[in-house]
Amino acid sequence: MLMRTDPFRELDRLTQQLLVPGTWSKPSAMPMDAYREGDQYVVAFDLPGVAADAIDIDVERNMLTVKAERRPVAKADDVQMELSERPLGVFSRQIVLADTLDTEHIKADYDAGVLTLRIPIAERAKPRKISIGVGSGHKEISG
């Protein structure tokens, strides 16, 4: 899987979280893990406190975009906020996916504040054996 890297991204993410809530035009980054599990890649995003209907997942060609919005909780009139540290606003992450991944069959699951995407490896990218025909002058491909 290919991903854009920026050495200052983590520092920028922390600064954004502490100082500025994300907006739709300049969203904050969201933490993620990515790993291969068998014949698929798994990408997990931390989105605690975000409602499932406030998450948007798009894929265009090989660009995967995840956007989410953590909205303020409605409070009664007699509630006075004493401390507010949980960041609100818009969060976004873009990942460039390798051509070897099957973007047509991405599965998404959201549980306990973690969005998990499972992206299968395309059949054409999986290793396969090539058998050699003897005396026939041609090679056969067996999967």
Side-chain angles (χ1 to χ4, degrees):
M1 178 163 41
L2 300 176
M3 297 192 310
R4 293 183 185 174
T5 58
D6 179 356
F8 298 104
R9 183 178 190 105
E10 186 66 16
L11 181 60
D12 186 45
R13 182 183 70 81
L14 290 171
T15 303
Q16 287 290 327
Q17 279 186 339
L18 295 173
L19 302 177
V20 182
T23 63
W24 284 104
S25 60
K26 188 166 174 53
S28 298
M30 64 184 81
M32 66 173 239
D33 290 335
Y35 53 93
R36 183 172 176 167
E37 184 178 87
D39 285 342
Q40 63 186 353
Y41 273 94
V42 179
V43 185
F45 299 91
D46 278 349
L47 295 170
V50 175
D53 64 351
I55 301 172
D56 186 37
I57 306 167
D58 291 314
V59 65
E60 183 177 338
R61 295 188 185 183
N62 289 4
M63 179 66 74
L64 174 74
T65 303
V66 177
K67 277 193 172 184
E69 182 177 14
R70 185 178 300 128
R71 300 172 182 132
V73 177
K75 296 172 188 66
D77 290 338
D78 62 344
V79 173
Q80 181 178 347
M81 182 63 75
E82 295 292 331
L83 178 66
S84 180
E85 292 181 345
R86 298 177 11 189
L88 300 175
V90 180
F91 303 87
S92 179
R93 198 73 184 253
Q94 286 190 314
I95 304 170
V96 179
L97 302 175
D99 290 334
T100 57
L101 298 178
D102 184 358
T103 58
E104 297 293 321
H105 296 96
I106 296 174
K107 291 188 168 84
D109 182 43
Y110 187 59
D111 183 40
V114 178
L115 173 66
T116 304
L117 303 180
R118 296 185 179 280
I119 310 166
I121 295 174
E123 286 297 321
R124 69 182 184 281
K126 292 180 182 175
R128 60 188 184 278
K129 292 282 187 189
I130 310 282
S131 63
I132 300 172
V134 179
S136 63
H138 72 284
K139 296 178 183 176
E140 294 179 1
I141 299 176
S142 63

